[in-house]
Amino acid sequence: MKGDKQNAHSACRLEIEAVCGKARATVTHLPHISAKTPMFMPVGTQGTVKGLTTDQLIEANAQVILGNTYHLALRPGGDTVEAMGGLHEFMNWPRGILTDSGGFQMVSLLRFSSVSEEGVHFQSPVDGTDMLLTPEKSIELQNQIGADIIMALDDVVSSTVTGPRIEEAMHRTLRWIDRCIAAHARPHDQNLFGIVQGGLDAKLRATCLEEMTKRDLPGFIGF
């Protein structure tokens, strides 16, 4: 994430409270919460953290939970979540939400997916139906879901992969971030974060980070 200046087109401001070496304690001001970092982010893939109510999550001081765009698109669907007032209303959650773009399913559902320059082709593990998840479709779905932080669709490969596929994924991720930025319809109340790719290759990761910082984004995450 960038420093303590607010991006003119974002709903995110980072306030640095303390520094120790390369470590920082911050407050990240988002539309639904001012979250203290570093923090643990519970996983609520389909709009629920398994085994816990929202009241229990608040009692546990959860600040931001993670939702998954691909799985929410499968069930109950972006249109349904939007009609219910977005994911915050759908799950009765007053604090922050971050949605993954669906890109991680390129690894976790590898046998059901294939990637091309257009996007990612998935076969639903639920009923076998096909879905083409493009950068534009991922952002459209995340705009419907309404999370505080939305992630750009990136070309994700396993950390165990080596060779030219890593560089291909890094360059495709950079091409896709521009498509995500162009598709983002809610920059004033949703923060689009870029993702740094390059596998375990330090030079590729540095190249990706350098290119990402040239884009007008409120933040970045490194995977």
Side-chain angles (χ1 to χ4, degrees):
M1 189 179 293
K2 294 182 178 179
D4 56 357
K5 291 184 178 179
Q6 185 170 6
N7 184 294
H9 305 292
S10 78
C12 177
R13 181 171 61 85
L14 183 68
E15 180 183 350
I16 299 174
E17 291 196 321
V19 177
C20 181
K22 293 184 178 181
R24 301 184 302 181
T26 77
V27 178
T28 304
H29 300 281
L30 299 168
H32 291 88
I33 192 171
S34 291
K36 292 183 178 292
T37 68
M39 65 175 162
F40 173 74
M41 193 179 299
V43 176
T45 299
Q46 289 185 283
T48 178
V49 176
K50 296 294 190 295
L52 294 174
T53 66
T54 53
D55 287 340
Q56 289 171 323
L57 287 168
I58 290 172
E59 289 174 9
N61 200 30
Q63 301 176 93
V64 179
I65 64 173
L66 174 67
N68 185 275
T69 298
Y70 173 74
H71 289 292
L72 286 166
L74 285 182
R75 296 179 300 183
D79 291 339
T80 298
V81 175
E82 184 177 37
M84 294 289 290
L87 190 57
H88 286 92
E89 293 295 323
F90 183 82
M91 63 179 297
N92 191 29
W93 176 245
R95 295 184 177 179
I97 296 175
L98 180 151
T99 42
D100 175 59
S101 64
F104 182 72
Q105 275 60 56
M106 295 167 62
V107 174
S108 65
L109 297 177
L110 180 62
R111 68 187 185 278
F112 298 111
S113 68
S114 62
V115 63
S116 68
E117 191 63 29
E118 186 179 12
V120 190
H121 293 263
F122 288 105
Q123 184 180 52
S124 169
V126 178
D127 60 9
T129 57
D130 292 326
M131 175 194 293
L132 173 59
L133 187 67
T134 65
E136 293 80 9
K137 184 61 176 178
S138 174
I139 297 301
E140 177 189 348
L141 287 165
Q142 291 185 85
N143 286 161
Q144 289 180 311
I145 293 167
D148 300 74
I149 298 173
I150 66 175
M151 302 307 303
L153 184 66
D154 55 333
D155 187 354
V156 184
V157 294
S158 169
S159 60
T160 60
V161 173
T162 59
R165 178 68 181 97
I166 297 293
E167 185 170 4
E168 175 191 42
M170 186 273 289
H171 287 296
R172 180 172 287 135
T173 293
L174 291 172
R175 293 191 293 272
W176 281 2
I177 186 62
D178 293 324
R179 291 168 60 183
C180 288
I181 292 170
H184 188 19
R186 298 177 57 181
H188 295 285
D189 62 351
Q190 287 185 286
N191 299 285
L192 172 61
F193 276 28
I195 299 176
V196 177
Q197 284 292 355
L200 301 179
D201 188 311
K203 290 184 178 179
L204 289 179
R205 296 187 70 82
T207 297
C208 191
L209 177 59
E210 180 181 1
E211 290 299 316
M212 281 289 175
T213 57
K214 294 177 183 178
R215 274 73 173 176
D216 187 18
L217 296 167
F220 317 93
I221 289 178
F223 286 146

